[in-house]
Amino acid sequence: MNETHFFNRRTKLLDLMEEGVAIVTAAIPALRSNDTEHPYRQNSDFYYLTGFDESNSLLVLIKTHNETKTILYVEANDEQYALWNGARHGIEKAKERFDVDDVRNIKDFPDQIKDLLREHVNLYIDLFDDSEALSEAKLAARLLRETRGVKRHIRSFRDITHLIRSMRLVKAPEEIETIRRAVALTADAHHIAMKRSRVGMKEYQLQAEMAYVFVNGGGHTEAYGTIVAGGNNANTLHYVDNRDELRDGELVLIDAACEVELYASDITRTFPINGRFSEAQREVYNAVLEVQLRVIEAIKPGVKRDWLQTYSEELLCDALINLGVLSGERDALMEAKEHKKYSPHGIGHWMGLDVHDPCPYVDEAGEALAFEAGMVMTIEPGLYFRVDDESVEEKYRGIGIRIEDDILVTDDGCENLSAMIAKSVEEIEEMCSR
Ligand code: GLY
Ligand code: MN
Ligand code: MN
């Protein structure tokens, strides 16, 4: 991705804004414990507009009836900071790199904010961002209101994230390309896990095999906490403990994926630890797989996301009836939400700079959005039968299966970006045998 991409996004955001001032801040470093921090992860909205990965910086966009202005506030380079942490861009290098109208020292922001807000009526901010810089801005807006002689003053705080996240919903070609790179590394990692899985290993050992692929391949980091869930652990949806043993005759559910240049992938595969599905495992696996394939087949521009959710639940309900887990009429079972006990989560979510991309799911009128080419979402049906659940046949107890792929909506349908990852029973058993 290059500066032209980021410049174009800032320009589009200014187009979407009414007159006013917008402030988008960098992420605040997160403390891990005492004086150690988590690895820094930039605020996705800020990154989307700048491609800038430094903390303590912010972007100001100004729009009046006849002009626009973009200002990037950054930290000046500092010798002591550079000694411990490496050099920052500093003001001069940032000026060279970014096609903004001005680059200024972040230290000057508190003094300059009042001038920046003078004469404007709208202040666009992330209403949930409690960074210091925004507190300054809100305070300045309040002070200006009380200042005599100012003809205009901030009258409304507006949510900037809604505009940015609406833009993030349809991915540009360079974003899709980056997601493809993340998916490619993730595909290698899932295949390694299938090849290396052995009875008696610990779940964290498969996690380590995958982490090696991510880091060795230049992946930034995991896109979310890796789930390696052997046997009944798969029925804990956000199982991240990964310290149990992998046992003979059980499945392992792996929901793991990497991030590349801050873009996520999000993939789940479930496979037999010893390399061969049992009859009962194969029945449940194929039931989930059929749902997943049929849902993916239904994705094309114009289809509404809420329809897809209902459709997927109908298919899961049918699967549960076919497996003999539920009995009765599908509509009545759906009405009573009986299927939710065995499949409690949604069919998928937007994916991009965040694994759960916080883009809108409904339009301005509150109606479910229809798919458009360039949207990326996961499709991840699952069936979960807890080991102590006596409402299901004994042979199914302890089986938890989810199959998750990353889907790009195209002009005439969709493309499964993770189609290269072994998924049918035959493909998985073949990969496990290598
Ligand atoms: N890995 C998180 C999710 O599937 O939504
Ligand atoms: Mn997901
Ligand atoms: Mn996932």
Side-chain angles (χ1 to χ4, degrees):
M1 246 166 269
N2 60 45
E3 176 56 10
T4 308
H5 298 129
F6 298 109
F7 176 86
N8 290 340
R9 293 174 195 168
R10 294 191 292 270
T11 305
K12 177 155 184 214
L13 180 58
L14 279 160
D15 275 350
L16 294 174
M17 284 170 56
E18 290 176 27
E19 287 179 32
V21 179
I23 301 172
V24 186
T25 61
I28 301 167
L31 197 62
R32 181 171 180 275
S33 180
N34 186 24
D35 58 355
T36 54
E37 289 175 355
H38 285 285
Y40 186 67
R41 173 52 162 83
Q42 189 53 281
N43 168 6
S44 297
D45 288 331
F46 179 81
Y47 188 81
Y48 181 76
L49 295 170
T50 62
F52 192 43
D53 207 15
E54 289 185 12
S55 62
N56 205 19
S57 47
L58 61 84
L59 176 69
V60 175
L61 305 171
I62 301 169
K63 180 173 180 177
T64 66
H65 68 284
N66 60 358
E67 63 173 4
T68 63
K69 183 164 180 160
T70 53
I71 309 168
L72 187 64
Y73 280 86
V74 304
E75 266 208 21
N77 215 343
D78 171 274
E79 271 182 30
Q80 271 305 306
Y81 183 92
L83 172 65
W84 291 91
N85 306 296
R88 285 178 175 268
H89 273 67
I91 300 182
E92 291 315 313
K93 278 224 180 82
K95 273 187 181 153
E96 284 165 26
R97 174 173 161 187
F98 298 103
D99 196 3
V100 287
D101 297 315
D102 201 4
V103 176
R104 298 183 188 170
N105 192 325
I106 188 78
K107 282 206 173 66
D108 297 330
F109 179 75
D111 284 341
Q112 295 182 358
I113 182 64
K114 262 204 262 178
D115 282 337
L116 290 170
L117 296 183
R118 211 177 287 277
E119 308 281 311
H120 296 281
V121 295
N122 294 313
L123 175 57
Y124 286 87
I125 52 172
D126 175 350
L127 295 167
F128 296 98
D129 178 347
D130 54 4
S131 68
E132 216 174 293
L134 276 198
S135 306
E136 302 271 7
K138 283 190 239 176
L139 181 66
R142 251 180 261 133
L143 290 176
L144 278 178
R145 176 174 299 197
E146 289 150 18
T147 309
R148 285 158 157 266
V150 175
K151 289 187 228 103
R152 309 180 83 198
H153 56 72
I154 298 296
R155 282 199 288 268
S156 71
F157 290 126
R158 299 199 164 202
D159 180 26
I160 190 69
T161 65
H162 178 69
L163 294 181
I164 303 170
R165 293 169 188 183
S166 300
M167 288 171 60
R168 284 171 57 186
L169 182 55
V170 173
K171 273 68 182 172
E174 68 276 7
E175 296 183 277
I176 294 166
E177 208 37 55
T178 312
I179 292 172
R180 282 187 198 281
R181 286 165 50 209
V183 171
L185 260 183
T186 296
D188 288 347
H190 276 273
H191 286 155
I192 284 285
M194 289 177 197
K195 290 180 202 166
R196 299 277 162 85
S197 167
R198 295 286 178 276
V199 170
M201 283 173 84
K202 299 287 191 184
E203 293 165 336
Y204 56 76
Q205 291 181 289
L206 285 187
Q207 178 179 9
E209 296 282 1
M210 299 180 83
Y212 177 83
V213 176
F214 297 156
V215 176
N216 189 51
H220 230 84
T221 173
E222 296 173 331
Y224 51 89
T226 288
I227 296 171
V228 180
N232 188 54
N233 295 333
N235 295 312
T236 301
L237 296 177
H238 283 168
Y239 177 84
V240 286
D241 194 41
N242 301 352
R243 306 211 65 81
D244 210 348
E245 188 173 311
L246 297 170
R247 296 182 194 88
D248 197 16
E250 293 187 339
L251 298 171
V252 59
L253 180 156
I254 300 186
D255 187 345
C258 71
E259 185 176 288
V260 166
E261 285 182 31
L262 278 71
Y263 280 82
S265 48
D266 184 6
I267 302 292
T268 308
R269 286 293 183 268
T270 310
F271 61 87
I273 290 160
N274 66 14
R276 300 283 301 176
F277 284 90
S278 72
E279 198 46 46
Q281 289 165 350
R282 182 188 304 248
E283 284 172 31
V284 183
Y285 188 87
N286 279 332
V288 177
L289 180 58
E290 195 191 327
V291 172
Q292 204 230 18
L293 294 175
R294 288 180 65 181
V295 171
I296 293 172
E297 222 174 70
I299 297 175
K300 60 181 181 197
V303 167
K304 293 214 166 169
R305 217 196 135 272
D306 63 345
W307 176 85
L308 199 74
Q309 177 63 38
T310 308
Y311 178 56
S312 70
E313 289 186 34
E314 288 169 356
L315 294 174
L316 283 163
C317 202
D318 288 343
L320 287 162
I321 294 169
N322 292 337
L323 289 168
V325 174
L326 293 180
S327 56
E329 288 299 314
R330 184 229 272 165
D331 288 352
L333 293 168
M334 293 262 303
E335 180 71 24
K337 300 195 186 317
E338 294 282 340
H339 59 300
K340 286 288 194 189
K341 176 176 172 192
Y342 308 104
S343 189
H345 58 75
I347 190 60
H349 49 82
W350 303 132
M351 193 194 81
L353 273 171
D354 286 286
V355 62
H356 298 159
D357 231 15
C359 306
Y361 284 94
V362 292
D363 64 18
E364 298 295 328
E367 296 289 323
L369 280 176
F371 292 128
E372 281 175 48
M375 293 176 173
V376 176
M377 74 176 302
T378 65
I379 294 297
E380 49 180 306
L383 288 177
Y384 308 90
F385 304 133
R386 299 194 66 86
V387 74
D388 57 357
D389 186 347
E390 295 184 1
S391 71
V392 299
E393 267 187 83
E394 197 167 348
K395 63 177 181 177
Y396 294 145
R397 291 180 206 159
I399 293 178
I401 290 170
R402 178 164 66 256
I403 308 171
E404 177 173 29
D405 282 302
D406 301 337
I407 309 297
L408 167 69
V409 183
T410 58
D411 287 333
D412 52 3
C414 69
E415 178 189 345
N416 181 353
L417 298 174
S418 40
M420 73 293 256
I421 308 178
K423 189 162 70 167
S424 69
V425 164
E426 296 71 27
E427 286 167 349
I428 286 178
E429 289 189 343
E430 196 278 322
M431 190 60 71
C432 287
S433 73
R434 290 200 204 173

